[in-house]
Each structure stands twice: as structure tokens, then as C-alpha cells.
């Protein structure tokens, strides 16, 4: 076990800790972690805080470089990292977004109750396992031609809805309306497009899942009412991203950005932070490709939403409409967005990198769907398979201190490889069944890596997030059954 | 060429899965890195064992694939090589088992290092990729990509080559 990180940390208040810019040569701004004293001790393990300090080296980064309460070791940025760079003379880095561009989460509502679903949970999970393909090393149910992938890259979830996979109301309840401005299919390599052709509507591996949950407790009745959440209601959470297409975009542009470092005389402490000025040809091209991959991810989650609705409709001999299977919201947690934020009293246009962090815009923000604007943006926070997930809501405090950002999940304390060695998948499956959660997966590792000891407790992370005020609790969800990629 | 057997070690504390490989030569080090990735994908795989336990059910036990990549440096070459292997699994469920790697350095308008690898391996079938209830799940950790984080490849004074890489899964 490596020694805990012992660099300089200054307490700002009970939930913010500063790594001063003087900690390391080359840091341009301070870095700030949002957590409490216990969380700080966990964050000190591994490389997360050193990676946070590294992210403060990026040219044009605004004060401060930030880490959310679920921060843990990543590549380049830590996971849970947020970095805003000034558009005019700042950079964009694939290492601040991650390989799985627009990895994200959406939550589907139902009008079903626990008593409706409990007796059918095995049947539902088995059918979802069959109907929502993992896509591991194989083809999904939608086979796209190259030209169709190009359409998906520029139209996002809108393409999927036009093709019959969902409703236009789904688009209204998706971040960026499921279609990011600036996406250009011609910025995406032929290899990335080829990888995307058989993968639309597939879940992928890693921590991706479709989970059936029940609303265990309402914690903010006003926001819950606006979101359509009730105690005892069954909901479905979908977690996936841009699949091999997005991974290839990141890989392609890491190579391009490493070449750009020399051209623009930029020095970074980690090659994974390779970057280029946002307004340079390299920066613009990466942004266009990243936005296109983000659109692919939104279309992917939209297609999976369709399979889930169909599966439930067949199981209950009904229709998605009669089952009330509306989309609550879809958030992305690996992305860069051009946003305006007030920094030192001045409104600036910045490129907010969120890597394992969720946008959490406050009530009244015009980017929040009209239907939720009075209460704030829904924030969906998945936990591990054996514990809770949460619905939170965005706050003004997030706009003030974290570039409108909050946590994205529980955060790992053990690498996936360590977790798979520590527990046999059969043990994890059995423990989950004892906890009332029925799980299916095509992969041994996908189950074993979900051993509870592999994660921080999401309840702790959400408590810190709530107390720090960067989003607040609306509802706690409990898992009933899950299909893992 | 140093007279050592290839050693593959997995280490913790960095990313989702991290490996160190030591080998007698640069091509052997690359071959070891490829094999490390295969062990991660299929924990039951063994290079020395003549038959993988589930081999009768694979689509093909004798598939051959050729990978060609080039880069300006060894680190870039390793990232590109391993990413090609990930693409082979992602696209057609191919898992390499025996790697024959050749590396050549060219000096045409700047230094370019080229790699060609002939890889014998398995093509997995649907029974492995989406096992029915009660059937064994054999797939291990499926990486998304190779990172530049902690990436190293170097020749030691003893002539032994060592490589280190971290995968995002």
C-alpha cells in the first residue's frame, strides 16, 4: 500500500480544503476539495489529491481546480475532478473528461409500486439481461451504417427518438436536450465510427448497469413533487456512455494533444493531461469530436430506455404510457461544456471539464428544463449495487463555489482489479441476494468489482454533498434488481 | 538479448488495472503486455495450458490476427498496440494467446518505430459473452482504453526490458 498523500492542506470551512498553488511548481491556481475530515482521510489514499494538484497546472484554469466529495484516483484529472478553463486563452484536455465521453445516468419513473414488482423481480431482471445487451465483444440489436452513425453523432438523442426509440418529451428532460452544440461527425475518426456501428443500444462493461429501484424515502417533498417521485414508487436507473466510439475519440485525441504540447509550448506534469488551447485548430477539433461522442452516448441511453420500456410493458401486459414510464432526467458526468460563471464578480465564458462530476444548476437557470426550473436541476447519483442511490437537486451554492457541479457517485476505494481479486462473483451475488437484490451479469469482474468494500458508502458522500450545499437531497432509492454490463 | 523469462505482475494503487512486465527483449516485453491484457479479459486463460477449459465452446480456438502500429516513441507504440488489442476484443471478441512481435525503427523524415504482431488467439462465442443462467461467466475485466498514466518502457542496464501500463476499465 502506497503512503497516504501528505501534501499541504488548508481548511477553508468544514467542507472545503485548499491545496495552495505553492504546493507544487507549475500550479497556476489553488485546488480545493469539497469533503469533510473523514472524507479527506479517504481522499489522501491513492493519487487523487496529487492528480488534483496536477490539474491546477493547465493554462487558463480558473481558481480553483476542484474535487467533489467522491474524488478518487483517475488518469490526468482525478475522478470527481472539475476544472474550468477560460475560453479565450485556456486549454481543453481529454484527460479532464475521460475515456468514456458522456458516461451518464438517467432515471425512468413508473407508476408501479414495490408490491407490483417484488414478485416479478427475477423475471424482470432476466428479461432485461436478455433485452438490453451488454455488447461485450459482440453486436447490439441496432446495426448502423457509417452514414447513420454520422447522423447520430450530430443529432444525439433526437436521432433515436426520430427512429422510434422514445418520445420527444424524453429530449426535453435530457441535459443539453440530448444533442450538444458544436458536434461534428467529420472530427471523429473512421475507426471510432466503425466501433460505433454495432454498439448503439448496448450497455458496455465496467460499472454500467440497468437497475430497478424503489423510492425508499422522500427527503425534499417540494422537489420530489416537481420530479414526480413518491415513496414506494418503482424507478429504473440506466448508467452507460459512448461505448467504444467514445473511447476511441479520447484515445485518438490524446495522441493529437501530446503532439500539440510541443507546438504550443505547454508543459504538464502528466501526459494524460495533454491539452491544446481551446481556440486552436486542435482544441476546436477535439471539442467537436467530444460533443459528437457525447451525442452518441445520449442516443445510446435513449435506445436502452426504449428496450427497458418494452421489457416492462411485456412483463406487465401493458404499455409504457400506462405504466407511467416517463423520463425524470438524464445527466452526463464525463464531459466539457462551455458555460458562463461568475468568477471574482465577473461573468466569464469558461470550458467546464467535469470528470466524474455532475452539473448541478440552481433554480431559475435557463438551462434547467422549464418543468423543473422552479426547484433546480435534478441530479442523479448512483451508488453501488448493494446500497442506495439518490436523487438530488442543484443549488445556488454550487453556482457560487463549484462551477455548478456536484458529486457523481460513491467513488471507489479499491481498483476494479483489486476488487475482482478480493471477492468471488458468486459470493457477491449471494450477498446481494441476501440483501434483497437480484443481479445478473455477463462478466465475472462486473459482479465482483461491486463488492461493497470496493466503494465509499454513497450515503456518506451524499451527506457531505448535502451539508456542503453543492446539491441537496430529494429522494433516497434502494436497489431491487440489477443487470450489469 | 538478456536471458530471462517474461514476468507479468499486476500492481495496485493506480487506476483500474495496472501491470509491470519484464522480458528479455523489447518485442518480448510487448508480447508480455499483450498477454497481460488477455489474462485480464479471460482470467482462466493460460498460455502454457494446451486447452482453455471452455475451449470446446469458443467460435474459434485458432484465430490469427495481425496488428500493425507505428509511433514516434516506445510509450506511444505500447499504447497504440494495446489499444488495438482492446479494439479486437470490442469488435469481434478476439483474445490473444500467443504473440509474435517484431519492432523496427525507421528514420524517414524523423524517427518512426513500427510494430507488427502476429497473434494467435480465441474468438469467443455468445455462450461466453452472454452466458445463460447457471452457466459460468468467464469474462474478467474489460478495459476501455490504455492511459498514459505511469506509462513506462525502458531497457535496464542488464539488458532486460521492462514495461508498465495502466488501464481504464
Amino acid at each position: 500500500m502506497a503512503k497516504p498523500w501528505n501534501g499541504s492542506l488548508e481548511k477553508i470551512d468544514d467542507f472545503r480544503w485548499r491545496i495552495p498553488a505553492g504546493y507544487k511548481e507549475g500550479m497556476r491556481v489553488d485546488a480545493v476539495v469539497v469533503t469533510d475530515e473523514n472524507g479527506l482521510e479517504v481522499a489522501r489514499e491513492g493519487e487523487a489529491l496529487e492528480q488534483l494538484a496536477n490539474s491546477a497546472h493547465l493554462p487558463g484554469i480558473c481558481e480553483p481546480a476542484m474535487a467533489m466529495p467522491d474524488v478518487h484516483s483517475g488518469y490526468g484529472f482525478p475522478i470527481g475532478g472539475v476544472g474550468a478553463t477560460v475560453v479565450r486563452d485556456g486549454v481543453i484536455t481529454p484527460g479532464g473528461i475521460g475515456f468514456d465521453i458522456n458516461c451518464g445516468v438517467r432515471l425512468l419513473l413508473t407508476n408501479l409500486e414495490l408490491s407490483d414488482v417484488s414478485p416479478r423481480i427475477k423475471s424482470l431482471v432476466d428479461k432485461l439481461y436478455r433485452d438490453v445487451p451488454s455488447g461485450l465483444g459482440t453486436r447490439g440489436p441496432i446495426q448502423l451504417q457509417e452514414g447513420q452513425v454520422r447522423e447520430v453523432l450530430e443529432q444525439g438523442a433526437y436521432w433515436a427518438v426520430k427512429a422510434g426509440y422514445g418520445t420527444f418529451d424524453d429530449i426535453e428532460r435530457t441535459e443539453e436536450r440530448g444533442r450538444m452544440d458544436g458536434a461534428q461527425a467529420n472530427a471523429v475518426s473512421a475507426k471510432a465510427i466503425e466501433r460505433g456501428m454495432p454498439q448503439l443500444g448496448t450497455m458496455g462493461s465496467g460499472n454500467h448497469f440497468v437497475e430497478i429501484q424503489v423510492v425508499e424515502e422522500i427527503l425534499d417533498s417540494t422537489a420530489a413533487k416537481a420530479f414526480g417521485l413518491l415513496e414506494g414508487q418503482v424507478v429504473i436507473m440506466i448508467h452507460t456512455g459512448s461505448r467504444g466510439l467514445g473511447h476511441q475519440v479520447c484515445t485518438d485525441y490524446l495522441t493529437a494533444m501530446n503532439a500539440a504540447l510541443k507546438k504550443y509550448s505547454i508543459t504538464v506534469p502528466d501526459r494524460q493531461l495533454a491539452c491544446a488551447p481551446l481556440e486552436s485548430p486542435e482544441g476546436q477539433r477535439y471539442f467537436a469530436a467530444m460533443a459528437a461522442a457525447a451525442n452518441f452516448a445520449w442516443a445510446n441511453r435513449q435506445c436502452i430506455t426504449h428496450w427497458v420500456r418494452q421489457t416492462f410493458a411485456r412483463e406487465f401486459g401493458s404499455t409504457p404510457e400506462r405504466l407511467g414510464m416517463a423520463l425524470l432526467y438524464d445527466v452526463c458526468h464525463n464531459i466539457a461544456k462551455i458555460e458562463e460563471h461568475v468568477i471574482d464578480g465577473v461573468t466569464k465564458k469558461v470550458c467546464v471539464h467535469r470528470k466524474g462530476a455532475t452539473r448541478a444548476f440552481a433554480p431559475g437557470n435557463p438551462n434547467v428544463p422549464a418543468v423543473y426550473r422552479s426547484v433546480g436541476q435534478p441530479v442523479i447519483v448512483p451508488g453501488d449495487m448493494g446500497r442506495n442511490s439518490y436523487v438530488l437537486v442543484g443549488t445556488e451554492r454550487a453556482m457560487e463555489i463549484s462551477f455548478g457541479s456536484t458529486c457523481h457517485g460513491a467513488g471507489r476505494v479499491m481498483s476494479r482489479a483489486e476488487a475482482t481479486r478480493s471477492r468471488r462473483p458468486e459470493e457477491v451475488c449471494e450477498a446481494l441476494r441476501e440483501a434483497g437484490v437480484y443481479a445478473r451479469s455477463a462478466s465475472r469482474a462486473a459482479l465482483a468489482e461491486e463488492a461493497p468494500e470496493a466503494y465509499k458508502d454513497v450515503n456518506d458522500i451524499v451527506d457531505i454533498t448535502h451539508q456542503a450545499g453543492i446539491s441537496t437531497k430529494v429522494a433516497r432509492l434502494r436497489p431491487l434488481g440489477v443487470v450489469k454490463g | 538479448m538478456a536471458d530471462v523469462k517474461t514476468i507479468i505482475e499486476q500492481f495496485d494503487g493506480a487506476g483500474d488495472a495496472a501491470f509491470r512486465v519484464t522480458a528479455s527483449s523489447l518485442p518480448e516485453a510487448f508480447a508480455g503486455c499483450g498477454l497481460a491484457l488477455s489474462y485480464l479479459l479471460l482470467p482462466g486463460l493460460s498460455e502454457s495450458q494446451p486447452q482453455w477449459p471452455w475451449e470446446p465452446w469458443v467460435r474459434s480456438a485458432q484465430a490469427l490476427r495481425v496488428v500493425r502500429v507505428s509511433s514516434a516513441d516506445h510509450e506511444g507504440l505500447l499504447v497504440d498496440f494495446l489499444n488495438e488489442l482492446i479494439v479486437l476484443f470490442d469488435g469481434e471478441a478476439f483474445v490473444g494467446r500467443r504473440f509474435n512481435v517484431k519492432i523496427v525503427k525507421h528514420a524517414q523524415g524523423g524517427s518512426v518505430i513500427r510494430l507488427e504482431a502476429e497473434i494467435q488467439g480465441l474468438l469467443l462465442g455468445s455462450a461466453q459473452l452472454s452466458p445463460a443462467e447457471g452457466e459460468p461467466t468467464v469474462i474478467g475485466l474489460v478495459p476501455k482504453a490504455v492511459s498514459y498514466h505511469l506509462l513506462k518502457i525502458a531497457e535496464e542496464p542488464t539488458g532486460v526490458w521492462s514495461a508498465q501500463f495502466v488501464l481504464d476499465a
Side-chain angles (χ1 to χ4, degrees):
Chain A
M1 177 70 80
K3 284 182 186 169
W5 188 85
N6 63 0
S8 172
L9 277 166
E10 299 167 355
K11 185 172 181 175
I12 300 171
D13 55 37
D14 285 349
F15 297 101
R16 285 186 299 166
W17 309 79
R18 178 190 298 118
I19 304 172
Y23 160 66
K24 193 172 182 182
E25 192 178 340
M27 282 176 72
R28 294 167 190 264
V29 295
D30 293 345
V32 168
V33 193
V34 179
T35 189
D36 65 3
E37 292 201 8
N38 291 332
L40 198 62
E41 290 314 302
V42 179
R44 281 179 187 275
E45 304 293 334
E47 303 168 286
L49 298 183
E50 191 67 21
Q51 291 174 344
L52 174 61
N54 287 347
S55 71
H57 287 67
L58 293 175
I61 191 161
C62 300
E63 182 133 320
M66 295 211 69
M68 301 295 102
D70 50 334
V71 66
H72 59 283
S73 300
Y75 320 92
F77 271 40
I79 297 165
V82 176
T85 53
V86 178
V87 166
R88 208 182 55 199
D89 53 7
V91 296
I92 185 167
T93 172
I97 294 154
F99 285 102
D100 196 1
I101 295 165
N102 189 5
C103 183
V105 197
R106 59 172 49 190
L107 194 68
L108 282 176
L109 303 171
T110 75
N111 55 24
L112 298 165
E113 295 180 357
L114 183 60
S115 57
D116 300 317
V117 168
S118 282
R120 297 171 182 260
I121 194 67
K122 183 175 183 305
S123 173
L124 275 165
V125 169
D126 287 344
K127 288 187 174 76
L128 287 172
Y129 175 75
R130 182 195 65 198
D131 297 343
V132 182
S134 71
L136 280 182
T138 187
R139 292 170 175 273
I142 303 173
Q143 300 296 310
L144 298 179
Q145 301 299 310
E146 181 193 332
Q148 291 173 301
V149 177
R150 290 181 180 278
E151 289 173 11
V152 172
L153 292 173
E154 298 195 348
Q155 297 175 21
Y158 181 73
W159 182 94
V161 170
K162 272 198 313 176
Y165 302 108
T167 70
F168 286 99
D169 195 45
D170 295 339
I171 287 177
E172 296 301 322
R173 295 165 188 248
T174 301
E175 200 169 317
E176 301 293 324
R177 302 180 79 242
R179 177 185 192 173
M180 197 157 161
D181 286 343
Q184 289 180 22
N186 64 12
V188 175
S189 70
K191 182 186 270 186
I193 287 174
E194 189 182 348
R195 291 182 71 178
M197 285 164 62
Q199 291 190 331
L200 194 67
T202 64
M203 196 171 8
S205 59
N207 57 350
H208 296 159
F209 61 78
V210 174
E211 186 165 280
I212 303 169
Q213 305 168 335
V214 61
V215 179
E216 191 171 63
E217 188 177 4
I218 296 293
L219 303 154
D220 173 345
S221 56
T222 305
K225 189 175 177 189
F227 294 169
L229 291 168
L230 300 162
E231 258 176 37
Q233 175 186 18
V234 170
V235 294
I236 303 121
M237 188 174 280
I238 298 167
H239 180 204
T240 186
S242 50
R243 307 286 287 108
L245 183 145
H247 311 162
Q248 190 65 46
V249 167
C250 184
T251 295
D252 291 340
Y253 280 91
L254 273 171
T255 305
M257 295 294 190
N258 268 294
L261 287 174
K262 193 174 177 185
K263 178 178 174 184
Y264 296 105
S265 304
I266 297 170
T267 306
V268 287
D270 181 345
R271 280 181 81 174
Q272 195 72 20
L273 285 174
C275 54
L278 182 57
E279 294 198 332
S280 69
E282 293 86 349
Q284 288 293 293
R285 198 161 168 80
Y286 171 63
F287 188 86
M290 179 215 65
N295 286 347
F296 189 87
W298 274 310
N300 192 34
R301 289 198 288 277
Q302 187 62 49
C303 292
I304 290 175
T305 299
H306 177 74
W307 313 139
V308 170
R309 284 172 170 157
Q310 296 300 311
T311 302
F312 269 69
R314 276 197 297 273
E315 176 69 18
F316 288 95
S318 184
T319 65
E321 293 76 22
R322 283 207 293 271
L323 293 173
M325 297 186 78
L327 178 63
L328 192 161
Y329 200 52
D330 178 304
V331 296
C332 41
H333 49 228
N334 279 7
I335 202 148
K337 298 254 194 89
I338 307 300
E339 296 172 0
E340 287 190 344
H341 288 274
V342 179
I343 299 165
D344 296 331
V346 179
T347 300
K348 290 186 180 174
K349 192 180 266 192
V350 291
C351 177
V352 183
H353 299 70
R354 295 191 180 94
K355 182 179 183 181
T358 313
R359 198 184 74 174
F361 279 0
N365 190 299
N367 291 299
V368 177
V371 66
Y372 303 136
R373 202 166 294 153
S374 65
V375 291
Q377 181 209 303
V379 172
I380 302 160
V381 180
D384 64 84
M385 288 195 298
R387 285 192 279 232
N388 300 114
S389 294
Y390 281 86
V391 178
L392 311 179
V393 66
T395 62
E396 201 54 53
R397 183 69 173 151
M399 306 310 288
E400 291 165 8
I401 70 166
S402 61
F403 302 102
S405 310
T406 188
C407 66
H408 88 305
R412 300 195 75 90
V413 289
M414 196 183 278
S415 75
R416 293 204 158 93
E418 281 176 273
T420 54
R421 291 197 305 273
S422 72
R423 291 278 291 270
R424 291 188 310 115
E426 294 79 7
E427 287 172 18
V428 176
C429 220
E430 188 52 39
L432 285 167
R433 284 187 200 198
E434 282 174 13
V437 184
Y438 178 62
R440 287 288 304 269
S441 175
S443 151
R444 290 175 66 81
L447 285 174
E449 72 178 36
E450 292 297 327
E453 60 267 29
Y455 284 93
K456 301 174 194 176
D457 187 338
V458 70
N459 295 296
D460 295 339
I461 298 300
V462 168
D463 278 346
I464 294 167
T465 302
H466 180 90
Q467 290 177 73
I470 55 173
S471 50
T472 54
K473 296 178 195 176
V474 175
R476 187 174 60 246
L477 316 174
R478 177 167 59 82
L480 302 172
V482 61
V483 180
K484 283 278 292 175
Chain B
M1 181 188 284
D3 184 19
V4 294
K5 195 169 177 254
T6 298
I7 298 169
I8 298 170
E9 297 171 284
Q10 202 166 354
F11 66 97
D12 293 329
D16 291 325
F19 289 93
R20 279 190 204 102
V21 174
T22 52
S24 59
S25 66
L26 183 62
E28 287 300 314
F30 272 75
C33 291
L35 201 54
L37 178 59
S38 297
Y39 289 153
L40 195 70
L41 287 165
L42 282 181
L45 186 72
S46 164
E47 189 189 30
S48 56
Q49 200 175 333
Q51 199 172 53
W52 189 48
W54 295 278
E55 199 157 303
W57 295 278
V58 300
R59 278 192 290 145
S60 169
Q62 296 294 329
L64 180 70
R65 294 291 179 272
V66 177
V67 166
R68 294 184 184 90
V69 291
S70 60
S71 181
D73 56 41
H74 289 142
E75 285 80 8
L77 197 70
L78 182 58
V79 166
D80 290 349
F81 171 58
L82 292 171
N83 274 323
E84 285 299 317
L85 300 179
I86 290 171
V87 171
L88 283 173
F89 180 78
D90 195 39
E92 51 177 336
F94 175 83
V95 181
R97 191 169 176 179
R98 294 187 187 89
F99 294 77
N100 181 14
V101 178
K102 291 175 188 160
I103 296 174
V104 182
K105 195 167 185 175
H106 291 275
Q108 302 161 329
S111 175
V112 175
I113 309 167
R114 296 187 197 282
L115 174 149
E116 180 174 304
E118 281 187 2
I119 308 161
Q120 283 190 328
L122 309 165
L123 285 174
L124 302 183
S126 57
Q128 288 82 41
L129 295 165
S130 300
E133 191 172 13
E135 287 183 359
T137 52
V138 297
I139 295 176
L141 201 60
V142 182
K144 294 187 184 93
V146 188
S147 77
Y148 283 88
H149 184 60
L150 302 178
L151 181 68
K152 283 181 196 165
I153 185 154
E155 186 178 13
E156 310 291 341
T158 55
V160 169
W161 282 83
S162 64
Q164 176 176 292
F165 62 94
V166 178
L167 298 162
D168 184 18

